[in-house]
């Protein structure tokens, strides 16, 4: 869910480089879009990387391996990976990483799969990740259907193209014998989508054996190569349940009713004022409860989402929501009879994605941006909600980049992607150059 808006935006922002006719995205759709920064101080270095013989060999290998990359996308898409059900896909992906010569292969406690590509030293540890999970529940038909130059299947884009790009880039840099200074840990991670609540990243950065060693992070998501996600929109989600004694709508009339308490809280929540910059939003997305039209309910619930790219703003809207709830309960308990029992609150956090940002001026970002400058296609910057939120929130340099395919209708059963060798090889090569720039710091 979180990725849907991001992808819509990434695609919309990235599209102009690919198809000039696409309209610009609505401003502020997701975070606030910032224009390209001044030319990167590393542009010259990026230019010489792009012009190097070994990079050209790697790019030729991307082209030669393109059919394999498309085949990888089909193979991976057809292994279901619903939230909390990524194990089978993880196993298959780990085997694919192993074939590309990575060492230290492992599946961690959360189910992330990973392998290491050793660097020449002195460059620290860079993580390059794509997520295994999709939003689709178990039982969804994930068979890929090809129609001309388009592939259709739930999950074929998000984030299968990221997983396949990682394999393509690994093969290409191996074929060209390219060395990086940094060790690179390639990861297929779990729990990126809504219900997963970034649990793969929380394991990797807060508990796993690499937690203190990771210096920088890149994740790949479906989009073109002209956008850097350097801001992490945070979110807080609660399932708020109001419970009461219930009763007969006529016989027990006058008894406290949790639906009125919920309605009161919902109304007050809807009246909260939030800033537009940093863009801060809230929503009631789910309403549940009651048993019949002529019963006073025992229980009603709402599930709410609050988001902001500002930590203080997110906390402010969360605090305001949490303050509303007991007041609404108190008001209902005062308005009607509590003889059979009062209204009580059961409020549970069901989602917590921290806010974060890697400054545009950070050398890590500028090394990546340098590739766009060297190609004459300066990068735009945007805030999103991705795996990068976790390292960003910990102050580690982190961005999300385009995996290098054109995809559409993410998170829908009509999800699809286009197969266009010349264009896709250019895009994946750009991502490859960005990773190489990040993995060879001065
Ligand atoms: Zn995604």
């Amino acid at each position: 869910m979180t990725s849907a808006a991001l992808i819509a935006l990434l695609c919309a922002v990235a599209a102009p480089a690919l198809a000039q006719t696409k309209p610009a995205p609505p401003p502020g759709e997701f975070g606030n879009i910032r224009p390209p920064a001044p030319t990167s101080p590393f542009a010259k270095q990026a230019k010489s990387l792009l012009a190097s013989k070994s990079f050209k060999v790697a790019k030729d290998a991307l082209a030669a391996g393109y059919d394999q990359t498309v085949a990888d996308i089909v193979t991976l898409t057809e292994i279901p990976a619903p939230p909390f059900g990524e194990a089978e896909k993880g196993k298959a992906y780990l085997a694919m990483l192993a074939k590309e010569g990575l060492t230290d292969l492992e599946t961690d406690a959360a189910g992330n799969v990973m392998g290491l590509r050793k660097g020449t030293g002195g460059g620290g540890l860079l993580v390059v990740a794509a997520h295994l999970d999709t939003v689709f529940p178990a039982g969804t038909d994930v068979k890929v259907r090809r129609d001309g130059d388009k592939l259709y299947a739930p999950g074929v884009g998000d984030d299968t193209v990221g997983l396949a790009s990682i394999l393509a880039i690994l093969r290409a840099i191996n074929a060209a014998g390219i060395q990086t200074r940094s060790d690179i840990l390639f990861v297929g991670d779990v729990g990126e989508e809504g219900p997963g609540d970034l649990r793969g990243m929380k394991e990797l950065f807060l508990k796993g054996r690499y937690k203190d060693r990771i210096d920088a992070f890149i994740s790949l998501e479906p989009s073109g190569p002209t956008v850097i996600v350097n801001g992490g929109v945070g979110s807080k989600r609660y399932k708020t349940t109001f419970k009461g004694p219930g009763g007969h709508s006529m016989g027990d009339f006058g008894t406290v009713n949790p639906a009125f308490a919920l309605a009161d809280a919902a109304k007050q929540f809807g009246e909260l004022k939030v800033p537009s910059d940093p863009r801060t939003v809230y929503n009631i997305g789910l309403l549940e409860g009651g048993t019949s039209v002529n019963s006073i309910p025992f229980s009603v619930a709402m599930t709410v989402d609050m988001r902001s790219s500002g930590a203080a703003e997110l906390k402010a809207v969360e605090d305001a929501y949490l303050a509303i709830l007991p007041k609404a309960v108190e008001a209902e308990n005062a308005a009607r009879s509590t003889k059979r029992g009062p209204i009580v609150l059961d409020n549970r956090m069901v989602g917590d994605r921290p806010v974060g940002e890697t400054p545009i001026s950070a050398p890590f970002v500028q090394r990546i941006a340098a590739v766009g400058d060297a190609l004459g296609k300066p990068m735009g910057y945007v805030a999103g909600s991705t795996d990068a939120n976790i390292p960003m929130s910990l102050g580690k340099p982190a961005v999300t980049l385009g995996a290098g395919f054109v995809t559409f209708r993410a998170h829908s059963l009509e999800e699809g992607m286009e197969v266009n060798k010349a264009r896709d090889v250019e895009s994946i090569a750009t991502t490859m150059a960005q990773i190489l720039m990040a993995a060879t710091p001065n």
Side-chain angles (χ1 to χ4, degrees):
M1 200 157 70
T2 47
S3 296
L6 167 69
I7 287 153
L9 178 71
L10 286 179
C11 294
V13 173
L18 305 165
Q20 296 294 345
T21 49
K22 290 252 176 86
E29 153 83 14
F30 205 79
N32 294 298
I33 302 163
R34 285 147 289 170
T39 302
S40 164
F42 304 103
K44 223 175 120 187
Q45 200 178 325
K47 243 184 191 143
S48 68
L49 169 70
L50 294 169
S52 68
K53 189 158 169 269
S54 60
F55 188 81
K56 283 178 181 156
V57 173
K59 197 170 160 185
D60 288 346
L62 285 180
Y66 184 74
D67 289 349
Q68 180 61 52
T69 299
V70 174
D72 290 344
I73 289 172
V74 173
T75 301
L76 289 165
T77 302
E78 292 184 345
I79 305 171
F84 302 98
E86 302 101 330
E88 194 191 342
K89 195 175 201 162
K91 198 174 159 202
Y93 193 60
L94 187 63
M96 291 162 118
L97 290 174
K99 263 175 76 178
E100 306 315 327
L102 299 185
T103 64
D104 301 74
L105 296 156
E106 72 168 275
T107 304
D108 73 11
N112 298 314
V113 297
M114 62 195 82
L116 200 63
R117 189 177 190 270
K118 282 262 183 229
T120 55
L125 179 63
L126 170 70
V127 170
V128 176
H131 63 88
L132 296 162
D133 57 317
T134 72
V135 294
F136 301 100
T140 304
D141 181 2
V142 290
K143 183 101 187 109
V144 176
R145 178 170 65 83
R146 184 158 187 163
D147 184 4
D149 64 351
K150 292 187 177 65
L151 300 181
Y152 295 90
V156 72
D158 184 11
D159 187 21
T160 313
V161 295
L163 296 168
S165 270
I166 284 178
L167 295 171
I169 289 167
L170 258 172
R171 279 179 208 127
I173 58 179
N174 285 343
I178 293 176
Q179 301 274 346
T180 57
R181 288 186 59 209
S182 306
D183 293 343
I184 308 179
L185 185 68
F186 289 94
V187 180
D189 63 87
V190 297
E192 194 274 347
E193 298 292 1
D197 205 27
L198 304 182
R199 76 179 196 286
M201 289 298 111
K202 287 173 182 172
E203 176 69 29
L204 191 67
F205 282 94
L206 303 175
K207 294 185 207 152
R209 70 186 177 97
Y210 291 104
K211 71 181 168 72
D212 298 320
R213 286 182 50 201
I214 301 168
D215 297 291
F217 177 87
I218 293 173
S219 66
L220 302 184
E221 289 274 1
S223 100
T226 58
V227 161
I228 294 174
V229 180
N230 73 309
V233 175
S235 63
K236 299 278 183 182
R237 291 171 180 170
Y238 287 95
K239 180 168 181 179
T240 306
T241 306
F242 298 83
K243 295 175 181 169
H248 192 283
S249 63
M250 192 159 173
D252 294 308
F253 181 68
T255 297
V256 285
N257 185 328
F260 293 131
L262 183 148
D264 181 11
K267 182 167 184 297
Q268 291 186 59
F269 186 38
E271 286 165 354
L272 291 179
K273 298 278 177 274
V274 285
S276 56
D277 188 11
R279 186 161 155 80
T280 304
V281 301
Y282 54 77
N283 183 48
I284 299 173
L286 282 169
L287 285 166
E288 300 159 77
T291 51
S292 77
V293 69
N294 57 347
S295 301
I296 297 169
F298 292 97
S299 172
V300 296
M302 59 180 170
T303 306
V304 308
D305 176 41
M306 296 166 269
R307 300 187 191 199
S308 179
S309 46
E313 290 76 10
L314 182 61
K315 185 164 189 322
V317 68
E318 181 191 18
D319 286 349
Y321 178 70
L322 296 176
I324 285 167
L325 302 176
K327 279 194 288 174
V329 168
E330 217 173 282
E332 178 60 14
N333 283 335
R336 266 165 281 272
S337 168
T338 57
K339 197 176 76 191
R340 294 182 189 280
I343 301 295
V344 293
L345 189 64
D346 176 6
N347 190 37
R348 290 167 198 229
M349 181 179 272
V350 293
D352 181 12
R353 293 180 178 230
V355 174
E357 184 169 9
T358 306
I360 293 173
S361 59
F364 174 72
V365 175
Q366 285 306 306
R367 297 187 67 79
I368 290 165
V371 175
D373 291 334
L375 291 168
K377 293 181 209 163
M379 300 282 162
Y381 296 91
V382 73
S385 178
T386 68
D387 277 337
N389 277 46
I390 296 295
M392 283 174 187
S393 74
L394 298 170
K396 300 207 177 192
V399 294
T400 296
L401 302 175
F405 287 88
V406 172
T407 62
F408 49 88
R409 304 278 287 127
H411 295 199
S412 83
L413 294 174
E414 292 78 42
E415 186 167 353
M417 60 160 293
E418 295 175 12
V419 175
N420 180 327
K421 182 171 175 176
R423 181 190 61 196
D424 297 344
V425 167
E426 283 301 323
S427 297
I428 301 168
T430 300
T431 303
M432 177 168 72
Q434 291 168 330
I435 291 170
L436 292 175
M437 283 294 292
T440 308
N442 290 329

